[in-house]
Amino acid sequence: AQAAGCAGTGACYWIGGSGNWSDTAHWATATGGGTTGSVPTATDSAHFDANSNTTAYTVTVDTSAVMLDLDFEAAPAVSGTVTWAGSSAMNIYGSMTLLSGMTDSSGSTLNFLATATGKSITTNAVTVGSRLVFNGVGGGWAGQDNLTLGSVNTITLTAGALDLTNRTVIARGFASNNSNTRTLNISGASITL
């Protein structure tokens, strides 16, 4: 029988190197652990750390993914880095932290859906290969560093509050054309579209 897995535990850890997001054999309840059987839910943070693999690996988002926080925390234990691939949407209900030196070739849509403030976006100088959509009523996100999107990727603020104070932002475009309650703070920011 398959183990219950990490769903609902609050934290899911990627294990076993390269693979598809939907493959439950790549998710564990503890760093480097072996308990599998489910993928993250909206209440589980997805962690990628030094115990996810010893050498470079690729995570392919092959189906719509859901998680609380998306945390690329550390490079592989021995050598190499992480490549994030696949074009399926990711629904993030918390914060996002990328790993310096990783590659984002996903070309997907990152939907930030938090309904509370205090969430953060940290890119660590990674060029984000995805479109960013902020659409959480009552949600609030603050850029912790500069934000550079790939040449075809846009930022959309549909609902919530986005704070890019004093950040350099590079994107294909920016949209926020609706009647929802939303706030954009770009005080002191340098924005290139």
Side-chain angles (χ1 to χ4, degrees):
Q2 200 169 39
C6 63
T9 64
C12 292
Y13 293 83
W14 184 265
I15 57 172
S18 294
N20 290 329
W21 185 279
S22 65
D23 184 350
T24 59
H26 279 287
W27 294 104
T29 56
T31 179
T35 303
T36 60
S38 60
V39 298
T41 69
T43 60
D44 304 306
S45 292
H47 299 277
F48 300 84
D49 62 15
N51 293 318
S52 293
N53 204 49
T54 56
T55 57
Y57 64 95
T58 299
V59 177
T60 302
V61 184
D62 62 323
T63 186
S64 183
V66 177
M67 73 230 62
L68 179 59
D69 296 327
L70 177 62
D71 287 327
F72 288 93
E73 300 165 348
V78 176
S79 65
T81 191
V82 182
T83 299
W84 175 10
S87 58
S88 294
M90 300 185 80
N91 298 310
I92 303 169
Y93 287 84
S95 300
M96 180 181 79
T97 301
L98 302 183
L99 175 67
S100 178
M102 73 178 286
T103 300
D104 176 4
S105 60
S106 61
S108 66
T109 298
L110 301 181
N111 295 304
F112 293 93
L113 303 172
T115 56
T117 59
K119 309 307 178 187
S120 61
I121 307 295
T122 306
T123 65
N124 284 310
V126 173
T127 297
V128 180
S130 305
R131 293 171 298 283
L132 305 184
V133 177
F134 297 88
N135 189 14
V137 175
W141 305 267
Q144 301 302 298
D145 52 9
N146 296 331
L147 178 59
T148 300
L149 274 61
S151 61
V152 298
N153 296 311
T154 59
I155 301 169
T156 301
L157 177 59
T158 304
L162 179 59
D163 185 349
L164 299 172
T165 303
N166 297 322
R167 303 296 175 215
T168 296
V169 178
I170 300 172
R172 172 73 177 175
F174 179 87
S176 185
N177 185 16
N178 61 63
S179 60
N180 298 333
T181 299
R182 61 210 187 282
T183 304
L184 176 64
N185 187 345
I186 54 173
S187 176
S190 171
I191 299 178
T192 302
L193 303 175

